[in-house]
Amino acid sequence: MNNPGKSIIAACIALVAGGLGLVQEANACTRFVYHGADGEVITGRSMDYKIDTGTHLWIFPRGMARSGEAGPRSLQWTSRYGSVIASAYDIATTDGMNEAGLVANLLWLAESEYPERESGKPGLSISAWTQYMLDNFASVDAAVKALAEEPFTLITDSPPGEQRLATLHLSLSDASGDSAIIEYIKGRQVIHHSRDYQVMTNSPVFEEQLALNEYWREIGGTVMLPGTNRAADRFARASFYVNAIPKSEDPVEAIASAFSVIRNVSVPYGITTPDQPNISSTRWRTVADQKRGLYFFESALAPNVFWVDLKKIDFSSATGTTQRLDLGQYQRTIYSGEANARFKAAKPFRFLGV
């Protein structure tokens, strides 16, 4: 007898797959959270984009005065936690980890619709959304409770050189393994909060991704997994592999496993498919070891993986300094091993305003 539940999910897959073909922009990313042995938590992400975003790494100390860069009624705050981040064009934070082990990842979501600006709430430019989380929270639970009050209105604008608005969603994970996905759907903030929400990609919205993934879970990853570069297929593969890899007590093996998963869901360099949604070359990958405080970076155009050790950084507001690691054009500068000493003192960048 046919399983009606599977039939319904299969129909949803067909509808979503057909609908995805209507979307013309091609940008993608994948993010997952690995729950390992002995409390090990590792978050991996790929940055897939049709053009280079001029990424460099930055160190930000505590005590930095921040602005939401949204005009006269901008959100204002002072950073409570130091962080290491990956920038876009040195005008936005797209990825990073703070000293408490909170990781924030900004990914594309074409379905995003942000609320109209309300006069009673301060504005926060989407370019500073990720940094706001890293600056203010040590845990996912604390961040979710604060966001539930909707303390700001998120404001978006066009990325440099593009004629479209930035439509993004945000993932959070912490050193306990907790996770949250924050989206804006039809002008309303939607928060998905659970340790079980280990994977995020792009279209469709997260709720529909979960439904699609349930179909593949019932089939079983050892039987068959979808193999294309589309977001829903990457979601299914990452969801299977992140829980299939062994939970090694050796942190080196755990990091190797995490890198093998994020590489598996990466898009080969040089591939961009304008008539397919959310498919662009993977330009770089990060893997954050939230227990040991290590932030690993791998460029598609450089042969080595390197890392930043957050536990060796002076994040204090009194003596800590803003520092920048220049990754070169297209992130082709070669670094190897621990790169803390390669950072140079720099003036903080200003977030893109609206």
Side-chain angles (χ1 to χ4, degrees):
M1 180 179 293
N2 292 333
N3 184 327
K6 284 189 177 181
S7 298
I8 292 171
I9 295 174
C12 289
I13 289 177
L15 287 171
V16 170
L20 286 178
L22 300 176
V23 183
Q24 296 300 311
E25 297 300 344
N27 306 288
C29 297
T30 304
R31 166 269 199 189
F32 68 80
V33 182
Y34 166 75
H35 300 145
D38 195 27
E40 182 78 79
V41 176
I42 298 172
T43 297
R45 76 84 52 88
S46 64
M47 170 58 83
D48 307 347
Y49 209 72
K50 62 181 181 179
I51 57 176
D52 176 56
T53 59
T55 295
H56 302 285
L57 299 190
W58 290 78
I59 293 172
F60 292 136
R62 302 174 218 123
M64 296 186 69
R66 303 284 201 187
S67 168
E69 299 295 348
R73 300 191 311 278
S74 295
L75 185 68
Q76 306 290 329
W77 73 94
T78 300
S79 60
R80 299 174 58 199
Y81 300 96
S83 59
V84 172
I85 67 97
S87 68
Y89 307 107
D90 283 350
I91 58 167
T93 296
T94 59
D95 192 83
M97 177 167 65
N98 72 15
E99 59 184 312
L102 183 79
V103 169
N105 319 99
L106 196 63
L107 281 69
W108 197 268
L109 180 65
E111 292 86 347
S112 299
E113 295 181 35
Y114 304 102
E116 295 294 330
R117 184 159 188 182
E118 300 177 10
S119 59
K121 292 184 179 180
L124 175 64
S125 170
I126 201 166
S127 65
W129 192 18
T130 306
Q131 194 62 51
Y132 175 81
M133 299 300 168
L134 296 173
D135 283 352
N136 286 287
F137 305 107
S139 70
V140 170
D141 189 64
V144 167
K145 287 178 178 176
L147 291 177
E149 301 296 324
E150 298 194 43
F152 54 79
T153 298
L154 193 65
I155 311 295
T156 190
D157 201 355
S158 299
E162 301 191 46
Q163 300 302 313
R164 55 173 177 164
L165 293 177
T167 52
L168 306 163
H169 57 169
L170 183 70
S171 68
L172 301 174
S173 61
D174 63 27
S176 76
D178 198 7
S179 184
I181 313 297
I182 302 101
E183 299 180 337
Y184 282 85
I185 308 301
K186 296 181 180 179
R188 184 174 64 90
Q189 177 184 256
V190 179
I191 300 176
H192 302 273
H193 179 199
S194 171
R195 181 183 174 88
D196 296 334
Y197 297 151
Q198 293 172 259
V199 176
M200 182 174 86
T201 55
N202 315 104
S203 299
V205 299
F206 188 70
E207 185 175 348
E208 294 177 16
Q209 288 279 25
L210 294 176
L212 292 170
N213 190 57
E214 187 60 30
Y215 172 82
W216 293 108
R217 280 181 42 172
E218 290 190 33
I219 291 176
T222 57
V223 176
M224 182 174 65
L225 282 171
T228 79
N229 294 322
R230 292 188 307 175
D233 289 3
R234 287 183 281 107
F235 191 106
R237 293 204 305 280
S239 295
F240 172 73
Y241 284 121
V242 74
N243 290 304
I245 56 178
K247 298 185 184 297
S248 174
E249 295 183 359
D250 181 344
V252 174
E253 291 184 359
I255 289 295
S257 293
F259 263 111
S260 69
V261 174
I262 199 62
R263 289 168 181 153
N264 179 278
V265 294
S266 294
V267 180
Y269 194 83
I271 290 181
T272 296
T273 312
D275 61 344
Q276 294 291 326
N278 308 308
I279 298 177
S280 291
S281 298
T282 295
R283 296 186 174 273
W284 49 261
R285 290 170 281 264
T286 60
V287 169
D289 185 330
Q290 288 150 273
K291 181 179 180 180
R292 294 190 295 159
L294 300 176
Y295 186 71
F296 294 83
F297 189 94
E298 179 183 52
S299 169
L301 293 178
N304 296 330
V305 174
F306 67 91
W307 63 88
V308 183
D309 189 338
L310 274 72
K311 294 185 177 180
K312 295 181 179 180
I313 296 173
D314 179 6
F315 286 117
S316 71
S317 57
T319 57
T321 58
T322 300
Q323 301 177 57
R324 180 178 184 267
L325 183 66
D326 191 323
L327 300 183
Q329 188 175 23
Y330 307 119
Q331 300 80 56
R332 295 181 69 152
T333 301
I334 297 173
Y335 298 102
S336 180
E338 183 190 303
N340 288 47
R342 306 297 295 274
F343 281 77
K344 305 295 184 184
K347 181 181 178 180
F349 65 77
R350 181 174 180 178
F351 291 97
L352 178 66
V354 296

